Amino acid sequence: MQHREAVPLAPPSPPPKKVQPQPAPVPAKPVTEKVLVQAKAPAKVAAEPEQPVQTPEPDEVHDAAPKLSAEALQQQIAQLGERIRNSQQSTQESKIKFVHSISTHKYLAAQYVKDWEDKVERTGNLNYPEAARKKGASQTLTMDVGINADGSIYSMRIVKSSGNPALDDAAKRIVKMSAPFAALPDELLREVNVLVITRVWKFSDETGMTAR
């Protein structure tokens, strides 16, 4: 029987090693260069030399003050007085009323006007103007007369002329000769400061002078 030589068997190959999965590489962060910007210092401006403050001498201060002459001072006082009078007048004018505008004290106003007419007519007939002494002449005019609270004359105004300036002036003189009139009643002063009376003046060689 022929013996065969034994053929050695190849050693078994080792089992394959398990490969562990490697983590994915992390990308490196880009390096940002920090650029430091150095602010430029402002250029130095040469300072101007300070001027010394000059203190005026007492004589200079006195001379700088405005000087008012006596005439300028009197003018300022006169202007102040005029403003005060204008202010008082504007306040007074707010209560100037014609007789027909009186509402609360009509009876008192009517009685006052009647007494005023009587006094003016007496004075006018005693001092009848030469301008009206013309035979057969009859001339009329219309005039407003303002009476202050104390009975003095506040104003006179020819509303409608007679056509004869001498006669118009004579009518104004009669009013002045008749003044002062009676003071306005206290009750009437609650409504007015100045009472304006409007009347038609008639000059006739037959009937004399009337103001109605």
Side-chain angles (χ1 to χ4, degrees), residues 113-174:
V113 171
K114 179 65 172 60
D115 296 340
W116 180 88
E117 290 172 349
D118 292 343
K119 186 174 185 180
V120 167
E121 289 178 356
R122 285 196 305 270
T123 304
N125 286 304
L126 290 173
N127 301 272
Y128 199 77
E130 287 293 333
R133 293 183 183 276
K134 186 177 179 181
K135 189 174 182 180
S138 178
Q139 303 179 74
T140 61
L141 61 92
T142 305
M143 181 166 55
D144 289 342
V145 179
I147 308 298
N148 287 313
D150 61 355
S152 61
I153 299 172
Y154 173 78
S155 63
M156 289 187 297
R157 182 174 69 97
I158 300 294
V159 179
K160 184 178 179 180
S161 173
S162 64
N164 184 349
L167 189 59
D168 293 347
D169 291 339
K172 290 182 179 180
R173 284 197 302 272
I174 291 172

Side-chain angles (χ1 to χ4, degrees), residues 7-13:
V7 180
L9 300 175
S13 51

Side-chain angles (χ1 to χ4, degrees), residues 43-61:
K44 293 184 178 180
V45 180
E48 295 182 0
E50 296 182 358
Q51 296 293 334
V53 179
Q54 295 182 355
T55 303
E57 298 295 331
D59 293 340
E60 295 179 358
V61 175

